[in-house]
Amino acid sequence: GSKKYKVDPQTPEASIYAGVKEFQNNYNTWKEYLNGIGVSEYGEIQLLVQGYNFGSEGWFKWCKKNNVTSYTVEKAQEYSDTQMPEEAKGTPSHAEKWLKYYEMLRG
């Protein structure tokens, strides 16, 4: 929530606002590494979305170290298996599931 934006932290609006800000931060982190990101570059967009699920900083550093420039569920699974704590593995297929809704919105 934010007094500046008059958003009560206990509302769906706050959750949406936080999600959009997280996506914006992820975009700003990834765009230079990926040389920009277009609306039809699904694999690149999915990297950002997966970062939302895993935590963007660690996911970004791992992808950069391993020259990952496009999402695959196999790479996300590898990250989850090797980098995330046992009690917080995230959902490696998060970006894959998300893509079908993105495509619906794009028409």
Side-chain angles (χ1 to χ4, degrees):
S2 170
K3 289 181 182 178
K4 178 180 175 182
Y5 297 104
K6 298 179 180 145
V7 177
D8 179 345
Q10 303 300 318
T11 64
E13 290 84 1
S15 179
I16 292 167
Y17 176 81
V20 169
K21 290 303 287 181
E22 177 73 14
F23 192 82
Q24 180 183 29
N25 289 337
N26 287 355
Y27 175 80
N28 289 334
T29 299
W30 285 88
K31 70 181 176 182
E32 184 177 336
Y33 171 63
L34 298 173
N35 297 313
I37 303 168
V39 296
S40 297
E41 295 171 329
Y42 297 143
E44 294 177 353
I45 294 169
Q46 286 176 287
L47 287 174
L48 278 66
V49 171
Q50 193 61 49
Y52 180 86
N53 182 258
F54 281 158
S56 63
E57 187 176 334
W59 173 239
F60 175 74
K61 287 179 181 178
W62 184 86
C63 286
K64 194 171 178 181
K65 178 182 172 189
N66 292 283
N67 298 312
V68 175
T69 58
S70 187
Y71 168 86
T72 67
V73 73
E74 292 81 14
K75 285 294 181 187
Q77 187 66 58
E78 180 182 343
Y79 176 82
S80 178
D81 291 344
T82 64
Q83 304 299 307
M84 296 190 73
E86 193 60 41
E87 67 279 359
K89 292 292 188 182
T91 305
S93 61
H94 177 76
E96 188 175 65
K97 293 174 183 175
W98 171 88
L99 181 61
K100 63 183 161 187
Y101 297 106
Y102 179 72
E103 288 174 329
M104 285 174 26
L105 290 171
R106 289 206 59 223

